[in-house]
Amino acid sequence: MHQEKTFIAIKPDGVQRGFISEIIGRFERKGFKLVALKQLIPSKELAQKHYGVHKERPFFNDLVDFISSGPVVAMVWEGEGVISSARKIIGATKPLEAEPGTIRGDLAVNIGRNIIHGSDGPDTASFEINLWFNNEEICDWNPSDSIWRVEN
Ligand code: IDP
Ligand code: MG
């Protein structure tokens, strides 16, 4: 079974609106494993690096200001297929186009306030995990019920 890791962040609007447990619960209930978690107010520099691919876009400065405006809950989740599955759980970038049942589809309206970030592929995932976390902050552990999650 190929295990992969992805970077997930609850943006300041998700934290302020009280969705931390709601969001963590969705990934937990799905059966993914939380291997790193912290809350921080990101520096401008961290936000700029995180969204570096968008630096030419007109919304870049507003996005960086917003992400560094308050607490973010940064996480690493692990599991088979977690990168693409997390993107499905999160839903489309524009919340009005996100399917009901997804996080953005259920909880958000505005593209600039879409409450959560998730890595979009393996390269981005590894870049973002290394940007937000040190190796020592990532826990290697096995859930005691893992036998119930695999096909025998
Ligand atoms: P993603 O978060 O679904 O991966 P990206 O295209 O990578 O979406 O954009 C990063 C973030 O930038 C989005 O989550 C959203 O908050 C913001 N964003 C993207 N496009 C726009 C836009 O057209 N106007 C304002 N903000 C935008
Ligand atoms: Mg993206």
Side-chain angles (χ1 to χ4, degrees), residues 7 76 123-135 138:
F7 175 72
V76 180
D123 294 345
T124 335
S126 106
F127 169 77
E128 292 171 353
I129 291 167
N130 288 320
L131 179 64
W132 289 78
F133 288 96
N134 298 322
N135 276 345
I138 298 177

Side-chain angles (χ1 to χ4, degrees), residues 23-142:
I23 288 171
I24 290 178
R26 290 187 183 212
F27 291 100
E28 240 180 355
R29 290 199 297 275
K30 174 73 173 169
F32 292 129
K33 181 168 75 172
L34 183 62
V35 294
L37 170 75
K38 64 183 172 188
Q39 185 179 51
L40 71 162
I41 300 177
S43 64
K44 284 258 161 69
E45 189 190 4
L46 175 56
Q48 281 164 349
K49 283 185 185 157
H50 175 74
Y51 281 124
V53 291
H54 296 306
K55 63 174 179 292
E56 308 301 335
R57 310 283 287 276
F59 56 82
F60 179 71
N61 287 334
D62 286 347
L63 180 59
V64 165
D65 286 350
F66 176 61
I67 294 299
S68 53
S69 71
V72 164
V73 173
M75 296 173 275
V76 180
W77 287 86
E78 184 180 296
E80 188 179 359
V82 69
I83 300 173
S84 66
S85 179
R87 294 282 295 188
K88 288 184 195 149
I89 291 168
I90 289 169
T93 305
K94 292 181 181 171
L96 290 178
E97 292 175 7
E99 294 294 329
T102 65
I103 293 169
R104 287 169 173 165
D106 288 347
L107 305 174
V109 172
N110 191 311
I111 191 169
R113 298 289 183 271
N114 61 7
I115 66 178
I116 179 166
H117 167 85
S119 307
D120 64 8
D123 294 345
T124 335
S126 106
F127 169 77
E128 292 171 353
I129 291 167
N130 288 320
L131 179 64
W132 289 78
F133 288 96
N134 298 322
N135 276 345
E136 311 83 73
E137 293 175 304
I138 298 177
C139 302
D140 186 17
W141 66 288
N142 284 312

